[in-house]
Amino acid sequence: MNAAEPTAGPMRVQGACHCRAVRLTAEVQLSRVFVCHCTDCQVLTGSAFRVVVPVVPGSLQVQGAVKGYPRTADSGNVRWQYFCPECGTPMYAGTPDGAGLATVRVGVLQERALLQPTAQLWRRSALPWVNVMDGVPACEQQELLG
Ligand SMILES: [Zn+2]
Ligand SMILES: [Zn+2]
């Protein structure tokens, strides 16, 4: 496989939390990158939406101790949200035995600029201003903060 053509087949990604106590690697498909607008994701990220990428089953490898928080969906399914206990960075979701689908938070990955979303989930709870960013005054750094 040609590394210069990441659209062909699974791509290897790597990431770390903000304090770098937790690191992970996985294989992902560029054709499956999801934005989730559900209200749980808004609260758990402290932001407008979450961006996740499912990993190829069995490919997720984590170094460092993570802490898990069980989230029970409306369906009754429980998914564990894993984060760094030192800095709080959300890292991935899955099951304690590793058997269920694991999804990694795109923001922790070095390759995040390549992981363009391919679908939006739970659009019905999307924040009403989520599409207006192009019209909001912008600056290269934080000149507008003052
Ligand atoms: Zn950390
Ligand atoms: Zn969600």
Side-chain angles (χ1 to χ4, degrees):
M1 188 175 68
N2 185 347
E5 294 174 4
T7 51
M11 183 173 89
R12 186 144 205 87
V13 294
Q14 58 184 314
C17 67
H18 194 257
C19 78
R20 306 193 71 78
V22 180
R23 295 160 194 263
L24 57 77
T25 63
E27 290 181 12
V28 302
Q29 301 280 0
L30 283 174
S31 58
R32 289 172 55 79
V33 181
F34 300 106
V35 166
C36 187
H37 297 281
C38 84
T39 55
D40 280 348
C41 284
Q42 290 167 354
V43 173
L44 285 162
T45 60
S47 190
F49 54 80
R50 169 146 47 202
V51 191
V52 300
V53 62
V55 307
V56 173
S59 71
L60 177 63
Q61 299 203 325
V62 181
Q63 288 183 304
V66 293
K67 191 162 195 281
Y69 171 75
R71 181 181 76 172
T72 304
D74 292 343
S75 64
N77 290 337
V78 177
R79 278 176 64 71
W80 289 74
Q81 314 291 311
Y82 290 101
F83 57 95
C84 172
E86 299 300 324
C87 69
T89 302
M91 300 295 292
Y92 62 97
T95 54
D97 61 4
L101 174 72
T103 56
V104 173
R105 310 325 190 192
V106 165
V108 304
L109 298 174
Q110 286 182 13
E111 298 81 2
R112 57 188 176 269
L114 298 174
L115 296 168
Q116 183 172 324
T118 59
Q120 302 179 59
L121 313 179
W122 290 95
R123 183 73 205 194
R124 75 180 189 189
S125 51
L127 297 180
W129 45 259
V130 77
N131 289 334
V132 304
M133 285 303 157
D134 284 347
V136 176
C139 53
E140 289 300 314
Q141 294 185 16
Q142 58 180 21
E143 298 91 329
L144 294 175
L145 193 57

